[in-house]
Amino acid sequence: MASITLGGTPVTTVGELPEIATKAPNFKLTKVDLSEVGLSDYSGHKVVMNIFPSVDTGTCAKSVRQFNEEAAKLEDAKVLCISRDLPFAQQRFCGAEGIENVEMLSDFKTGEFGKAYGLEFATGGFTGLHSRCIVVLNGEGKVCYTEQVKETADEPNYKAALEALMNA
């Protein structure tokens, strides 16, 4: 399990992020239109997974805005913004913010994504939500970069994630 902080208080996750060069765990997540999507739907594409606790917090919202801006410049890559928010909240946020270059996906039904990727909070006030992480996959679905943000209120390293994507 990862040891991180939430507002300066030590917390843990249920496991560790997938190892570099391993096949990413499969998933089923819910899109804003309530349809389901899985890892195989992104086969052949490079993928950035921007994972966070809730789009209704400042840092999470900022990461979606930043990746939306960066995604507009990417070719043959998908940016997935993943949380346990209800799809309705994700859709409301995107509509209000003009977000249209990333895909918002929800793990609200089962939470299995957070468990499979080892990033669900196991302790603290956000237990059951996703910790702030970045996972980058190459076109074959293999993990080529991960970041577990040490303090949940901090932003991820956008530059490092995008460099990993370009080199995937």
Side-chain angles (χ1 to χ4, degrees):
M1 73 183 96
S3 294
I4 56 178
T5 58
L6 175 61
T9 303
V11 294
T12 58
T13 62
V14 297
E16 299 287 335
L17 292 174
E19 292 186 28
I20 303 297
T22 62
K23 183 79 171 154
N26 197 16
F27 60 78
K28 285 286 181 206
L29 295 168
T30 305
K31 297 170 86 169
V32 296
D33 67 2
L34 302 180
S35 64
E36 286 193 346
V37 66
L39 181 60
S40 62
D41 293 303
Y42 302 99
S43 181
H45 296 280
K46 296 177 183 181
V47 174
V48 174
M49 295 183 198
N50 174 35
I51 307 155
F52 50 88
S54 175
V55 75
D56 286 325
T57 64
T59 305
C60 300
K62 189 171 184 179
S63 73
V64 172
R65 288 184 203 106
Q66 182 66 39
F67 275 116
N68 183 65
E69 186 178 308
E70 297 296 338
K73 306 171 198 169
L74 300 175
E75 292 183 27
D76 196 36
K78 304 289 183 182
V79 177
L80 313 179
C81 293
I82 304 168
S83 69
R84 295 208 63 192
D85 289 302
L86 289 175
F88 312 114
Q90 293 176 333
Q91 187 172 37
R92 173 188 40 79
F93 173 81
C94 289
E97 296 283 334
I99 304 292
E100 52 190 34
N101 300 315
V102 299
E103 291 183 50
M104 299 296 284
L105 300 175
S106 178
D107 190 22
F108 85 100
K109 287 184 179 177
T110 66
E112 288 303 314
F113 173 85
K115 291 174 183 64
Y117 280 74
L119 53 84
E120 179 181 293
F121 282 106
T123 60
F126 281 8
T127 298
L129 295 179
H130 296 160
S131 59
R132 187 176 317 288
C133 301
I134 301 293
V135 177
V136 177
L137 310 178
N138 68 16
E140 298 169 1
K142 289 192 177 179
V143 178
C144 58
Y145 174 85
T146 63
E147 177 189 6
Q148 170 75 65
V149 177
K150 296 299 180 196
E151 166 52 54
T152 304
D154 293 343
E155 292 180 69
N157 186 336
Y158 304 109
K159 183 178 178 186
L162 294 167
E163 285 177 1
L165 181 71
M166 294 301 115
N167 295 324

